[in-house]
Amino acid sequence: MKEIFVTIFILFTITNFAQDKNAEKIISAIKSKIDKVDNYSADVEISVKFDFLKMPKSKAEIFFKKPDKFKLKSEKLAILPKGVIDFNPQKIIDKNFTSEIIGDTLIDNKKLSVIKIIPNADSIKFNAAKLLVDKNEFLIKQIILSLDGNAKIITYFNYNDQKEFALPSQIKINLDFSQVKESENKRRRNIPENFKGDITINYNNYKVNKGIEDSVFVDEKEVEK
Amino acid sequence: MIKLVHIELIKIFKKWRSYIGHFGILFMVSMVQINLYIYGENEVRHITRNLSDLFIISGNILNGNLIGHLILNAFFILFPLTIVLVAGEILAGEGTGGTYRLIITRPVSRLQIIFSKFLAGCIYILSIIVWMIFVSLVISHIVFGNGELIVLSDGINIFAQDDILWRFALSYLHVFFSMLLVFTLSFLFSSLVENAIGPIIATMAILIFFVILSQIPVDFTKYIKPYLFTNYFMDWQKFFNYDFDWFVQIKSLGYLALHSVIFLILTSIIFIRKDILS
C-alpha cells in the first residue's frame, strides 16, 4: 500500500514538472513571436458597449514601437480603453509568474491548452490568469484575468494575416466588474463601480516592422497616453 | 390679425429692455467662448478627468457642439429672466401707459388683441432662442469647429457628428415650450395689474418657489413634484441621452403646452371681462 502511494506521488510530481516545463516552452514560443515585432501600425475600429458609456463606433490609427511607445491618431473623437488597445500579451507573460498547464479545452473545434499563470509579485495587478493557447501555432486565443474583488476580464483573440507576429485581427474584451464591492474601487463621477461591458476592436491594414519615426509619438493633442 | 401682431412686435422691439436678454446672452456666451478659447484645455481635462484614468482619448473634444451644449446648460436660467421682462409688461404696460382704452376702442375684439400679443410674445421668445442658437452654436462651430459631443449625465454619452443636430433642434423646441409657459404665466399676471413690475416679480417668485419646493429633501415633495411645471423645464437634457423615452418627452412637452394653454385661456377670460377704468 505504501509503495503504491509513493509511486503515485512520484508519478504526479514528474507529470506536474513536465507540465510546468511544457507551459514555459509554449510561453517562450509565444514570446519569441511577439519579440519579432519592433514596430507596427494599424487601422482600428472600436465598438464599446457599457451601461455607463454609450458611444458610436470609433475609427483610429494606432502606432506601436518597442519597448512601449504607443500612439493613437484619430481625426474624430476616439475613446479607447487603456490596457486593451495598447494590449500586449507580453505584459502578462513577461512578469514574474508561475505557470502550469492545467488541461485542454475544445473551442471552435480547436484543441487549446489551458495555461494557468499565477503572479509571484505583489506589484502585479491580477490574482491569476488563464491563457488558452493554440500550441500548434503558438497563439493566445483567450486570456482570462481574475482581479481583486471578483472582477474578471476575458479577452478573446482572433488572428488573420499576422499570425507570424501574433498580432490579432480582432480582440473582444468582456469586462465583468459587477461583483466588485463598492468600497473596493475609488468612485469616479459618471463611472459606476460595478459594471459589465464589452469592447470589440477590429484591426486592419497592419504595417509591421516598416519603421516608425519617434516624432509620430509626440502629439500635444492627445489628452492622455 | 397680421397687422395687429406687427403693431405688437413694434411695441416690443422698440423698447430697449426687450434687448436686455439678447445682450445678456451675447455677453455671457462671449465670456465663456473667450475663456474656452484661452483655457480650453483645462475644460477638456475637467470633462475627461475620470475617463482618462480608464481610456485613451484622441480627437477634437473642445468643439462647437460641446460648447453649445455647455452654454445651454449653464445659461438656461437666463431665458425666463429675459422672457418675463417683456411678458410682464405686454398687458400691464398698456395700463401704465394709459393706452388700454385706445386699443380696445379699435374695431378689433379683445380676443384678437390677446392673441396678437400672445403671437408677438411667441415671436419674441423665438428671437431669443434663435439668437442663443446663433451665438452659442453657430459662432462656436465657426471658432472651435465641428466634432463629437461628450455629455456627462447619468453616465457618459458620446454622440457622432451626424447624430447631434436633431438633438439640439428638439432640445431648443423643448426650451421654447418651457419659455412659452413662463411667458403665458407672466402674461396672466400682466392682465391682472397695471404695473409691469408686479408680473415680473410674481413670475420669477413662482419659478424660484417651485424649484426650491421640488428640491426639498422630504417625502412630501416627491408627491407634488410631478405637478410642478418647473420640474419639466430641464427635460430638454434628456434628448442628449441614447435611450430617452419618446413618450416621456412628448408628455413633458404636452404638459408644458397644456399649462400655457390654460394660462392663455385664463388671461383671455380676465381681459375680456376686464373693466377698463384707466
Side-chain angles (χ1 to χ4, degrees):
Chain A
M1 195 67 183
K2 193 180 172 184
E3 286 83 357
I4 292 169
F5 275 119
V6 169
T7 310
I8 289 169
F9 176 74
I10 290 165
L11 277 173
F12 176 79
T13 309
I14 290 166
T15 313
N16 214 25
F17 180 76
Q19 280 188 341
D20 289 350
K21 281 288 179 202
N22 254 337
E24 279 178 35
K25 208 170 132 183
I26 291 167
I27 286 168
S28 294
I30 295 165
K31 274 173 81 172
S32 65
K33 268 193 170 190
I34 295 166
D35 283 340
K36 282 191 213 169
V37 181
D38 286 320
N39 58 77
Y40 75 85
S41 69
D43 295 333
V44 292
E45 189 182 68
I46 304 101
S47 63
V48 178
K49 285 181 185 174
F50 289 121
D51 285 339
F52 72 88
L53 174 65
K54 291 183 174 66
M55 59 184 285
K57 281 183 179 177
S58 312
K59 283 185 178 179
E61 199 176 356
I62 56 166
F63 299 87
F64 171 81
K65 192 172 183 178
K66 264 186 176 178
D68 59 355
K69 283 182 180 170
F70 181 82
K71 177 81 184 95
L72 168 74
K73 267 190 181 177
S74 172
E75 283 182 20
K76 291 187 174 183
L77 181 70
I79 293 187
L80 313 174
K82 272 184 180 176
V84 173
I85 190 72
D86 55 343
F87 176 79
N88 186 341
Q90 202 146 354
K91 284 181 179 177
I92 290 178
I93 58 185
D94 263 359
K95 301 279 185 184
N96 183 12
F97 66 89
T98 306
S99 67
E100 58 170 325
I101 295 179
I102 56 169
D104 291 327
T105 186
L106 201 68
I107 291 177
D108 297 333
N109 296 322
K110 270 202 167 180
K111 195 177 167 187
L112 304 176
S113 299
V114 183
I115 299 173
K116 189 175 181 182
I117 289 176
I118 299 162
N120 296 336
D122 290 338
S123 58
I124 297 169
K125 290 177 182 175
F126 62 89
N127 297 335
K130 278 182 194 172
L131 305 185
L132 273 60
V133 177
D134 181 338
K135 60 183 178 185
N136 297 323
E137 296 185 289
F138 297 115
L139 294 171
I140 298 173
K141 302 291 275 187
Q142 263 188 53
I143 296 176
I144 302 163
L145 284 179
S146 301
L147 310 170
D148 285 340
N150 293 327
K152 197 177 251 190
I153 301 173
I154 305 174
T155 311
Y156 303 88
F157 297 85
N158 287 316
Y159 300 89
N160 197 351
D161 54 355
Q162 299 297 336
K163 286 181 181 178
E164 61 172 308
F165 300 110
L167 291 169
S169 59
Q170 187 188 65
I171 294 179
K172 281 186 184 176
I173 305 110
N174 173 264
L175 295 99
D176 187 352
F177 285 72
S178 58
Q179 302 303 312
V180 173
K181 288 176 186 171
E182 286 191 23
S183 57
E184 293 191 33
N185 260 2
K186 201 171 75 176
R187 180 83 183 142
R188 293 185 182 89
R189 197 164 64 99
N190 305 108
I191 299 176
E193 291 163 68
N194 306 320
F195 66 88
K196 279 174 87 167
D198 296 299
I199 299 160
T200 306
I201 305 166
N202 290 306
Y203 295 78
N204 288 301
N205 303 324
Y206 268 115
K207 294 183 182 77
V208 184
N209 296 339
K210 303 287 183 196
I212 299 172
E213 293 293 324
D214 284 346
S215 59
V216 169
F217 299 94
V218 181
D219 184 4
E220 68 285 351
K221 264 192 171 184
E222 195 170 309
V223 177
E224 184 75 37
K225 265 191 184 181
Chain B
M1 192 68 178
I2 292 168
K3 195 169 178 67
L4 280 176
V5 173
H6 183 245
I7 291 164
E8 292 303 327
L9 286 172
I10 290 167
K11 283 184 195 173
I12 290 171
F13 286 102
K14 77 170 186 180
K15 291 190 182 91
W16 68 267
R17 75 160 64 176
S18 302
Y19 297 97
I20 290 173
H22 298 82
F23 283 115
I25 286 167
L26 179 64
F27 177 75
M28 304 281 255
V29 169
S30 300
M31 287 295 105
V32 170
Q33 286 167 331
I34 291 164
N35 179 70
L36 288 173
Y37 192 79
I38 299 165
Y39 306 108
E41 286 306 311
N42 293 340
E43 183 62 28
V44 169
R45 264 195 293 274
H46 172 72
I47 290 166
T48 59
R49 188 177 54 217
N50 296 322
L51 273 175
S52 59
D53 292 346
L54 305 170
F55 298 92
I56 299 165
I57 305 164
S58 174
N60 181 23
I61 297 168
L62 193 72
N63 57 62
N65 291 318
L66 180 81
I67 292 160
H69 188 262
L70 285 175
I71 287 167
L72 184 53
N73 257 307
F75 300 140
F76 178 83
I77 191 70
L78 277 178
F79 286 121
L81 286 168
T82 59
I83 300 302
V84 295
L85 287 175
V86 168
E89 203 198 33
I90 206 157
L91 273 172
E94 303 284 0
T96 309
T99 52
Y100 257 140
R101 286 187 188 186
L102 193 68
I103 61 166
I104 59 171
T105 50
R106 288 180 300 178
V108 288
S109 68
R110 290 193 182 194
L111 199 62
Q112 280 180 307
I113 291 166
I114 284 291
F115 270 89
S116 64
K117 286 183 180 290
F118 171 73
L119 289 173
C122 289
I123 292 166
Y124 177 75
I125 296 166
L126 274 175
S127 80
I128 290 275
I129 287 174
V130 169
W131 179 245
M132 179 72 159
I133 291 167
F134 177 74
V135 295
S136 71
L137 260 180
V138 178
I139 300 292
S140 296
H141 268 81
I142 292 165
V143 177
F144 296 91
N146 201 354
E148 287 74 13
L149 172 64
I150 298 180
V151 177
L152 304 178
S153 52
D154 296 338
I156 299 157
N157 289 303
I158 298 163
F159 299 99
Q161 285 179 33
D162 57 2
D163 191 27
I164 297 169
L165 201 61
W166 69 273
R167 294 178 189 274
F168 269 117
L170 287 176
S171 295
Y172 274 105
L173 178 73
H174 196 282
V175 169
F176 174 80
F177 274 91
S178 299
M179 292 312 105
L180 193 64
L181 192 154
V182 172
F183 175 85
T184 51
L185 179 64
S186 196
F187 194 35
L188 172 63
F189 291 141
S190 188
S191 69
L192 296 167
V193 294
E194 295 190 1
N195 188 310
I197 303 298
I200 292 168
I201 292 169
T203 307
M204 289 312 296
I206 284 179
L207 295 180
I208 292 163
F209 176 70
F210 277 13
V211 169
I212 292 168
L213 196 62
S214 61
Q215 297 301 317
I216 296 170
V218 292
D219 286 348
F220 173 69
T221 56
K222 76 179 177 192
Y223 298 110
I224 60 162
K225 209 173 171 179
Y227 302 102
L228 303 174
F229 55 76
T230 49
N231 194 43
Y232 299 88
F233 278 9
M234 297 308 282
D235 280 354
W236 66 265
Q237 292 176 328
K238 291 176 186 171
F239 288 114
F240 291 96
N241 202 318
Y242 271 103
D243 39 21
F244 73 84
D245 189 331
W246 280 99
F247 177 72
V248 168
Q249 291 301 87
I250 290 164
K251 208 170 91 172
S252 172
L253 282 169
Y255 194 85
L256 294 168
L258 181 69
H259 270 80
S260 300
V261 168
I262 291 166
F263 293 152
L264 185 62
I265 290 167
L266 287 172
T267 307
S268 304
I269 293 165
I270 290 163
F271 186 67
I272 287 163
R273 297 175 67 178
K274 196 177 181 79
D275 192 7
I276 307 294
L277 302 167
S278 60

